[in-house]
Amino acid sequence: MNNEKWNEICFLLSDNIRTDISENDFEQNVVQALRVLDWKEYSGDIEIRPSFQVGAANRITPDFVIKSSDNRKLFVIEIKQPNIPLNSKFQQQLFSYMRQLRLEYGILIGQGIQIFYDGDLVNQEDPILLETIKFAKDDEKGLKFVELFAKESFSQESLKAFTLNGLKKINRREEHKNLTEKILSESYQEKISELIKQDFLNEYDGELIESVLKELNIEIKTKNQEISQTVFPKSHYKEPRIIDYSNGILPIELNPSSESDFKRRLLLTKTAYITTFYKNGTSKQKIWNAQRFRESSGVLGNLRSRPEFRNGEWQKLGIEKVFVSIDK
């Protein structure tokens, strides 16, 4: 049943709409999609563009507020034209409605669906993105969306379990990232030599082990890491050029090249790829997990604050330049 409902929602909000559909027309499609989930305006389940007093002189007008049978506000929905990517500006608009209406859950609908949580389970400035769902038939995330937000099955207990599971995944990704960075750090790789030495001390004397280790290059790197400039289009490296390092500023190239365009996409993806090129001809790629990156953050300032990219440090490491891309 959830499968059929989700596929109909995909039809209403993606498959059967014009690419240039207006926000007003798209609103009618969202109303139909809510009917698929059994929320109906005539039953008092939906308030469309309700106006709420905020302070002495201001009012807010969210697109939809979904209510329970006893007239309690359950969650708020903000919609945007599906031909415009969902961005931080739209998210902030939804966040303001969630805060003003004191609602834990908010949904942003446009090119896809984003579910946000703002409650006591997290301690951060903005609501947290729990899930992004694409309009794809039979999509597992879409089926879960129907299960959570259909009127018949809607419950705060189910939403809390979903939220806890989502937060666990987010925290797990952060822990995975932090541990990976620690293992790949130079300080830890220095410890490896000491661990090897301790392992062989029962068989060989320490001086012999140290002499052997001095002749070896021990390195840990990620398994599926590309160590070649050929992973990037040749247009990025049309011809060799002389790079001036005298000003102490590490050359950092962005893709997209405009810092504002890069920032806009990073706020959506929360992930980028940092490739560091060394003077010895090698390169290393790391994932930039940007969950904490905000609208107020600076891209280049954030990158240059990394320990290995600071003035004096990148020269010691033999770094030549850095390429940062949203797409892998």
Side-chain angles (χ1 to χ4, degrees):
M1 188 65 176
N2 286 352
N3 201 292
E4 183 178 344
K5 287 184 176 182
W6 173 248
N7 289 345
E8 186 174 355
I9 290 171
C10 290
F11 176 80
L12 291 168
L13 301 185
S14 178
D15 300 344
N16 194 43
I17 61 172
R18 306 185 316 274
T19 55
D20 61 343
I21 189 171
S22 68
E23 193 168 302
N24 286 337
D25 289 341
F26 187 58
E27 179 183 286
Q28 297 306 310
N29 289 57
V30 175
V31 170
Q32 292 181 62
L34 289 172
R35 287 192 191 122
V36 172
L37 297 175
D38 294 320
W39 303 105
K40 298 178 176 65
E41 188 179 7
Y42 90 92
S43 301
D45 304 328
I46 309 171
E47 284 189 287
I48 301 177
R49 292 189 304 282
S51 180
F52 298 98
Q53 185 77 37
V54 177
N58 297 319
R59 304 189 74 85
I60 59 170
T61 308
D63 289 327
F64 298 96
V65 172
I66 307 302
K67 300 165 66 178
S68 65
S69 56
D70 59 358
N71 211 36
R72 286 183 300 109
K73 298 178 184 66
L74 299 176
F75 56 95
V76 61
I77 300 173
E78 186 66 13
I79 67 169
K80 297 299 172 185
Q81 286 177 266
N83 61 340
I84 303 174
L86 297 177
N87 57 46
S88 59
K89 180 181 177 182
F90 300 154
Q91 292 172 353
Q92 290 295 330
Q93 187 177 1
L94 175 66
F95 297 168
S96 69
Y97 297 150
M98 293 171 69
R99 291 280 166 89
Q100 295 291 346
L101 298 175
R102 298 181 180 179
L103 291 172
E104 291 188 337
Y105 295 94
I107 298 174
L108 190 58
I109 301 178
Q111 285 189 348
I113 297 175
Q114 292 182 337
I115 304 171
F116 292 91
Y117 170 76
D118 185 34
D120 296 336
L121 299 177
V122 293
N123 182 22
Q124 65 176 51
E125 185 176 346
D126 288 331
I128 192 165
L129 175 61
L130 291 176
E131 195 67 271
T132 297
I133 308 169
K134 296 180 179 179
F135 292 120
K137 289 183 178 179
D138 303 320
D139 183 79
E140 289 186 11
K141 293 181 180 179
L143 301 183
K144 186 65 178 179
F145 174 78
V146 172
E147 177 187 329
L148 289 170
F149 290 98
K151 182 178 179 180
E152 184 180 15
S153 54
F154 184 87
S155 76
Q156 293 296 336
E157 291 76 16
S158 297
L159 275 175
K160 183 176 180 180
F162 171 75
T163 302
L164 289 170
N165 187 53
L167 294 175
K168 184 178 178 181
K169 288 179 181 178
I170 292 169
N171 293 334
R172 191 68 175 173
R173 285 198 298 269
E174 186 67 20
E175 289 175 358
H176 185 280
K177 168 183 170 289
N178 291 336
L179 179 57
T180 299
E181 289 181 351
K182 287 180 181 178
I183 293 174
L184 291 173
S185 68
E186 282 193 30
S187 60
Y188 186 78
Q189 297 200 31
E190 290 174 2
K191 292 181 182 179
I192 295 174
S193 295
E194 186 60 30
L195 292 172
I196 294 173
K197 180 179 177 181
Q198 294 300 321
D199 192 44
F200 285 106
L201 275 177
N202 290 333
E203 299 178 58
Y204 304 96
D205 66 84
E207 185 179 348
L208 175 61
I209 298 170
E210 286 184 2
S211 67
V212 171
L213 289 174
K214 286 179 180 178
E215 298 174 0
L216 300 177
N217 181 27
I218 301 168
E219 181 183 12
I220 298 177
K221 58 185 180 181
T222 54
K223 284 186 177 180
N224 298 319
Q225 180 174 290
E226 296 287 345
I227 312 294
S228 170
Q229 295 185 25
T230 57
V231 295
F232 303 110
K234 291 183 179 179
S235 58
H236 288 297
Y237 310 103
K238 292 180 180 178
E239 58 183 35
R241 60 188 179 95
I242 298 173
I243 301 174
D244 180 13
Y245 300 98
S246 60
N247 61 4
I249 299 176
L250 174 64
I252 298 178
E253 184 179 352
L254 303 176
N255 181 29
S257 58
S258 165
E259 185 173 359
S260 59
D261 290 343
F262 184 96
K263 181 177 181 178
R264 178 178 57 79
R265 291 191 59 189
L266 182 63
L267 287 166
L268 289 173
T269 63
K270 294 296 184 181
T271 301
Y273 299 89
I274 303 173
T275 303
T276 305
F277 293 90
Y278 295 85
K279 291 182 180 179
N280 63 7
T282 62
S283 63
K284 292 181 180 179
Q285 188 178 81
K286 291 183 178 179
I287 296 176
W288 180 5
N289 187 326
Q291 291 295 328
R292 297 180 182 177
F293 192 85
R294 295 286 179 265
E295 183 72 44
S296 58
S297 305
V299 176
L300 293 176
N302 190 293
L303 290 166
R304 290 201 167 99
S305 68
R306 291 170 172 258
E308 67 271 28
F309 295 161
R310 289 173 184 167
N311 188 24
E313 192 61 28
W314 62 267
Q315 293 94 331
K316 291 179 187 178
L317 296 174
I319 296 175
E320 184 178 46
K321 60 185 174 182
V322 174
F323 181 76
V324 189
S325 177
I326 296 296
D327 301 316
K328 191 169 183 181

